[in-house]
Amino acid sequence: MTLSPASKKRLPLIVAAATALALVIGGVVWWQGKQRWEATDNAFVAADTTGVSPQIDGYVVEVLVADNQRVAPGQILVRLDDADARADLTEAEANLAAVIAAVGNVDARAAQEQAIIASRAAGVAQARARAELASQQVDRYGRLAEQGWVSRARIQTEQAGARTAEASVAEAEAALVAEQRTAGVLGSTRSQSLAAVDVARARVEQARIALDRTVIRAPVGGVVGARGVRVGQYVRPGGQILSIVPLGDAYVVANFKETQLDRLRLGQTVEIRADAFPGEPLIGHIDSFAPATGSEFALIPVENATGNFTRITQRVPVRIRVDRASGQGFGAAALRPGLSVEVKVDLKSRGGLNFAEAATGPVVAAVR
């Protein structure tokens, strides 16, 4: 098709007008999108992964879970050899029985001592009665001797008997005091025995706890990952043997530029797109703002007090809670920690505190 000279002259004007119109339309669309959305591709999926470690050392005799297996809270994961723990528990229980028997022995001795004390008290009463009778005899024979009816030798005999009776009283009283002190010693011995019983019970409880810890259970529900434990392996306390990832509680950490934070608010709706799940996006909401930029938590913090300082826009981690029923019904369960995602915050959605207000707002009393 051949254009006329007049059409050829108007063609540049038409192209320029179309280009200008496209630029205007694109600018309007961009401006409206900029006013509606705040986006970043510096985002990833995270989860509160729990590392499982044994609390005692021992040899692994049974591993009851496989890689990537879903487990429930309290489910048995690993069994350790419990022979030593059972022997310790048996020894502790035997020791407890021995100290309880010792308390019974002390109680029996205390009861016997009370009977002896009663007997000694009766002996004191008997000795005092004899001493009183001997004293009366001395008085009686003394009056008879004054009248000449009793010889001097008889009086001396009665006086000796009275002194012997008084000595018997002193002896009986000393024996009573000795038995009473023995009873006091048995009381303190019983207190020590009861304390020994408490110690033995504590040791039994410790041995029972150690036996229970030979069975390693899942502290939370989730999926098993990084399983490095095998049968026959010797494990030590604190050494991580596997991890449990709570996939249903996964969340997104989006690192927004500090220049983007002004319009973000808690509770705003977030559109989440993951490369692993193309198609319908997931829906979430802004949960919280980090208390500092990501560089502040680095192993080697940035030192800005140098002569070659360069101003760089910093990023602040924003935690996004993923709705459980979004994205074809999968929600947070569809995400895996470590996946890269793109997020877009709907600025028109209703929100609460902004970035500055969240830092000075009321302290949350309970964990979500």
Side-chain angles (χ1 to χ4, degrees):
M1 179 179 180
T2 303
L3 296 176
S4 64
S7 299
K8 290 181 179 180
K9 291 181 179 180
R10 291 194 298 268
L11 181 59
L13 297 177
I14 295 173
V15 173
T19 302
L21 180 61
L23 290 175
V24 170
I25 294 175
V28 171
V29 172
W30 176 85
W31 177 255
Q32 290 179 344
K34 190 66 176 178
Q35 294 300 312
R36 174 69 184 273
W37 304 95
E38 196 68 77
T40 182
D41 59 356
N42 189 343
F44 59 92
V45 181
D48 296 330
T49 301
T50 301
V52 179
S53 302
Q55 294 179 286
I56 61 173
D57 56 350
Y59 288 96
V60 177
V61 296
E62 190 175 10
V63 179
L64 301 174
V65 291
D67 292 325
N68 309 323
Q69 176 181 336
R70 182 172 294 276
V71 295
Q75 181 176 338
I76 298 177
L77 306 176
V78 177
R79 293 183 186 275
L80 304 180
D81 185 10
D82 61 356
D84 292 340
R86 290 187 180 278
D88 292 340
L89 178 58
T90 301
E91 181 182 0
E93 289 175 341
N95 183 57
L96 175 60
V99 294
I100 290 176
V103 173
N105 184 31
V106 171
D107 290 339
R109 290 175 58 191
Q112 181 182 11
E113 197 62 35
Q114 291 301 320
I116 295 175
I117 289 174
S119 175
R120 296 299 186 188
V124 170
Q126 184 179 9
R128 285 175 179 171
R130 290 176 179 174
E132 184 178 357
L133 178 60
S135 178
Q136 293 174 357
Q137 287 289 89
V138 170
D139 294 340
R140 185 180 303 111
Y141 280 103
R143 289 192 297 270
L144 293 175
E146 291 176 355
Q147 298 175 5
W149 296 100
V150 178
S151 64
R152 187 64 182 174
R154 181 67 180 184
I155 291 297
Q156 293 175 347
T157 300
E158 293 299 329
Q159 290 176 345
R163 288 192 295 270
T164 301
E166 290 294 335
S168 298
V169 171
E171 181 182 4
E173 290 177 343
L176 176 61
V177 170
E179 294 298 337
Q180 290 174 340
R181 291 179 178 177
T182 301
V185 171
L186 288 177
S188 62
T189 302
R190 189 177 191 279
S191 299
Q192 293 177 352
S193 298
L194 290 177
V197 169
D198 293 337
V199 172
R201 282 202 177 100
R203 289 177 178 172
V204 168
E205 187 62 24
Q206 289 177 344
R208 186 173 289 113
I209 291 174
L211 178 61
D212 183 65
R213 287 175 176 173
T214 59
V215 178
I216 303 175
R217 301 178 182 272
V220 296
V223 176
V224 174
R227 184 178 67 93
V229 61
R230 297 293 184 268
V231 174
Q233 180 180 349
Y234 185 78
V235 296
R236 296 183 180 277
Q240 185 170 321
I241 58 177
L242 56 86
S243 298
I244 297 179
V245 183
L247 294 182
D249 297 327
Y251 55 90
V252 172
V253 176
N255 298 304
F256 284 93
K257 296 179 181 179
E258 54 187 317
T259 55
Q260 297 177 289
L261 298 175
D262 182 55
R263 296 189 295 174
L264 300 185
R265 281 171 170 73
L266 298 179
Q268 285 179 326
T269 303
V270 182
E271 181 181 294
I272 305 168
R273 293 184 180 273
D275 294 339
F277 303 100
E280 183 180 356
L282 301 175
I283 302 300
H285 294 82
I286 294 180
D287 184 73
S288 60
F289 299 102
T293 63
S295 61
E296 288 296 312
F297 299 111
L299 294 178
I300 303 178
V302 178
E303 178 55 62
N304 291 325
T306 59
N308 58 350
F309 167 72
T310 302
R311 182 181 178 87
I312 300 175
T313 302
Q314 300 297 313
R315 292 182 179 268
V316 176
V318 177
R319 177 165 173 159
I320 298 172
R321 183 180 68 258
V322 184
D323 294 351
R324 291 185 176 274
S326 65
Q328 302 177 352
F330 293 108
L335 299 176
R336 297 294 188 273
L339 292 180
S340 298
V341 296
E342 298 180 3
V343 299
K344 292 170 56 178
V345 180
D346 186 357
L347 301 177
K348 300 297 184 181
S349 60
R350 179 177 299 180
L353 302 178
N354 60 22
F355 176 70
E357 294 168 341
T360 59
V363 178
V364 179
V367 178
R368 183 180 300 274

